[in-house]
Amino acid sequence: MRQDYDLLIVGGGLAGNSLALALKDTGLRMAIIEANTREQLYASPAGDRALALAGGTVKMLEALGIWQGIRQAATAIKNIHISDRGHFGKTRLSAQQENVDALGYVISARDIETHVARLASEANIELICPARVVGLMSGEDAIHVSLKHGDESFSLSAKLLVGADGGQSSVRKLLDIDQKATEYGQTALVTTVKTSVPHNNTAYERFTASGPLALLPDGDSECAVVWTRTDEDAKALMAGSEKDFLSELQECFGYRLGELALAAPRRTFPLSLIRAEKMVSGRAVIIGNAAHQLHPVAGQGFNLGLRDVVALAEMIIEQHGDGQDIGAADFLNRYAKVRQKDHNLVIGFTDNVVRIFSNEWLALALVRNIGLTLLDHIPAAKALLARQAMGLVGRMPRLGSRR
Ligand SMILES: Cc1cc2nc3c(=O)[nH]c(=O)nc-3n(C[C@H](O)[C@H](O)[C@H](O)COP(=O)(O)OP(=O)(O)OC[C@H]3O[C@@H](n4cnc5c(N)ncnc54)[C@H](O)[C@@H]3O)c2cc1C
């Protein structure tokens, strides 16, 4: 079989396109395999969600030449306000205190997904779509990939295959990589609201008895809403009228931002934590949501995925530059080792936030409220939380630390 490519990337979402862009000047022969047509991707209702990007993520997007084209569409988060409804604890983080321009940015997933796909196409990165991977076999020198393209079947080979095909990753399944899935029995309700009081670039995370609620500044006078409810509650809230939805939202959030008015359709995203048992098998590696799909409560999913992208890109550049095999087992295992700690930290942090703040048990409510109050009074702990929120905890990949 021919060895057609050095690198095949399965999945033309945020992770897949960002990786291709990071490697565009290496001379590697690469292609992206995407299940959808471009039109289907851009029209997907899933794009109607807001992403909170940490400061560290923005630095990496800048280094990759991605941020410059979307900066105008993003809203800066200057303050973060975390509170527990019905209890005393609250904490505030501010960009001014942390000596940074912004703690993070909010942007619509559609804006950034469309932008990276356009940049990849302008960089002449080959896109094979709509096509699905239906078989994988790692050999000594290459990985062999069977594809279905409409009624047509064909195969390709590469030195390395990267699975960036999302939470339901076919690559992960075809590689027989087990996954640990935690079902929270929760659904994210997502929409946009207009607020009668200006948001002043403040992101609100409010923990309520019925689930966490985030209002993220989005444009001058609107906020993106990510509201986590039980599956049953979410179903009822979607089945009810917009008026009933809005009045329950207002009741949960309160009047800190005045009257809220719906400015976009309501959408739902079922929530679970999916973590692959390993990242590497043969000449393949999985990154982004294919390796870890998180609850959005802490807004860490793509932030973590982009750190996978940048770490892998840096290592591939070095390995390829040294004339070494980019699909070699010891090389891929080294990548997995590099990423393990960050995965453990962020997945553990997110899972703990979901569990601690979804619990109305009095002792836990007390612990988290004391925690929030103490946090507000201990500058070092607050600074650590701010650094976590900004995506600056742990080692920053070199690409991300470049200015
Ligand atoms: C409600 C909600 C709010 C969120 N908020 C935040 C936030 O504030 N901050 C943050 O950092 N993250 C957030 N996230 C997470 C973030 O959206 C994801 O982490 C990110 O989109 C994952 O990107 P990805 O490229 O890894 O996967 P995906 O975006 O799922 O892309 C996978 C791509 O692979 C393609 N594909 C799938 N199967 C195949 C196949 N067999 N063959 C070929 N192609 C295939 C798909 O069509 C898709 O294009 C949120 C998620 C949700 C649901």
Side-chain angles (χ1 to χ4, degrees):
M1 192 180 288
R2 290 175 302 146
Q3 185 174 296
D4 305 274
Y5 296 90
D6 294 308
L7 171 63
L8 284 169
I9 300 171
V10 184
L14 285 175
N17 277 317
S18 304
L19 179 66
L21 287 169
L23 296 173
K24 71 178 175 12
D25 299 323
T26 53
L28 286 166
R29 293 164 301 160
M30 65 176 160
I32 298 173
I33 300 164
E34 167 55 49
N36 286 300
T37 61
R38 278 208 188 284
E39 295 68 33
Q40 283 166 337
L41 266 179
Y42 298 163
S44 157
D48 290 337
R49 66 191 192 281
L51 299 183
L53 304 182
T57 300
V58 169
K59 277 191 183 175
M60 289 182 215
L61 292 173
E62 257 171 9
L64 296 176
I66 295 172
W67 184 245
Q68 295 75 346
I70 45 171
R71 168 70 190 86
Q72 292 311 314
T75 306
I77 301 175
K78 303 265 185 189
N79 307 287
I80 299 179
H81 183 283
I82 307 172
S83 60
D84 199 355
R85 183 168 179 262
H87 301 282
F88 56 85
K90 64 169 169 287
T91 193
R92 293 187 184 89
L93 305 171
S94 89
Q96 202 182 3
Q97 257 169 25
E98 302 308 321
N99 245 332
V100 290
D101 290 342
L103 292 169
Y105 289 84
V106 179
I107 188 160
S108 96
R110 190 182 311 287
D111 282 346
I112 180 164
E113 282 169 353
T114 317
H115 183 63
V116 288
R118 208 190 57 237
L119 289 181
S121 146
E122 283 169 7
N124 289 324
I125 291 159
E126 186 183 350
L127 177 68
I128 303 170
C129 82
R132 287 193 163 271
V133 176
V134 291
L136 289 175
M137 202 180 64
S138 269
E140 191 145 314
D141 303 317
I143 179 162
H144 307 292
V145 186
S146 307
L147 292 174
K148 254 204 148 349
H149 188 44
D151 289 338
E152 217 185 301
S153 297
F154 60 102
S155 54
L156 299 172
S157 68
K159 285 183 195 155
L160 170 64
L161 178 127
V162 177
D165 53 343
Q168 299 304 320
S169 172
S170 302
V171 170
R172 185 178 65 217
K173 288 170 197 152
L174 290 168
L175 292 172
D176 254 340
I177 296 180
D178 280 343
Q179 64 177 44
K180 191 164 174 259
T182 310
E183 298 299 336
Y184 295 113
Q186 295 176 340
T187 296
L189 293 156
V190 170
T191 187
T192 305
V193 289
K194 222 174 170 33
T195 64
S196 67
V197 170
H199 55 57
N200 283 331
N201 293 79
T202 300
Y204 292 89
E205 181 85 56
R206 191 152 168 74
F207 293 98
T208 78
S210 50
L213 167 62
L215 261 72
L216 309 171
D218 192 2
D220 291 339
S221 58
E222 291 184 345
C223 285
V225 175
V226 184
W227 192 11
T228 306
R229 298 292 301 246
T230 62
D231 292 339
E232 301 77 55
D233 281 2
K235 225 178 252 161
L237 280 161
M238 288 300 283
S241 67
E242 287 193 349
K243 190 164 162 264
D244 290 347
F245 177 91
L246 197 58
S247 86
E248 189 153 346
L249 180 66
Q250 184 88 60
E251 149 85 9
C252 260
F253 184 71
Y255 284 84
R256 216 171 245 119
L257 289 174
E259 300 266 353
L260 308 178
L262 274 190
R266 299 165 278 173
R267 305 222 181 272
T268 55
F269 294 84
L271 302 177
S272 56
L273 164 66
I274 300 176
R275 183 174 188 181
E277 300 263 307
K278 55 181 188 171
M279 290 172 238
V280 170
S281 173
R283 289 182 161 269
V285 58
I286 49 176
I287 62 167
N289 270 30
H292 43 70
Q293 179 182 280
L294 307 185
H295 192 299
V297 66
Q300 298 282 333
F302 174 56
N303 292 302
L304 184 63
L306 190 66
R307 295 202 288 279
D308 292 348
V309 165
V310 170
L312 182 61
E314 281 178 356
M315 290 180 66
I316 289 178
I317 290 169
E318 208 168 303
Q319 182 86 346
H320 176 60
D322 291 347
Q324 302 290 316
D325 180 1
I326 61 167
D330 60 340
F331 168 68
L332 296 180
N333 288 330
R334 205 151 31 88
Y335 162 78
K337 204 162 164 216
V338 164
R339 293 302 299 140
Q340 193 76 44
K341 196 170 155 204
D342 193 16
H343 286 190
N344 291 345
L345 190 80
V346 173
I347 293 169
F349 170 75
T350 304
D351 191 43
N352 282 336
V353 171
V354 177
R355 290 177 195 285
I356 292 174
F357 285 95
S358 299
N359 204 317
E360 260 311 281
W361 191 42
L362 190 63
L364 264 185
L366 205 63
V367 166
R368 70 181 187 232
N369 279 286
I370 290 171
L372 284 181
T373 306
L374 281 180
L375 207 58
D376 210 34
H377 290 95
I378 303 174
K382 234 171 108 167
L384 185 67
L385 182 70
R387 285 180 65 74
Q388 173 80 43
M390 290 189 284
L392 298 176
V393 171
R395 177 195 168 271
M396 279 285 284
R398 288 186 299 276
L399 250 172
S401 9
R402 269 185 227 149
R403 278 253 162 215

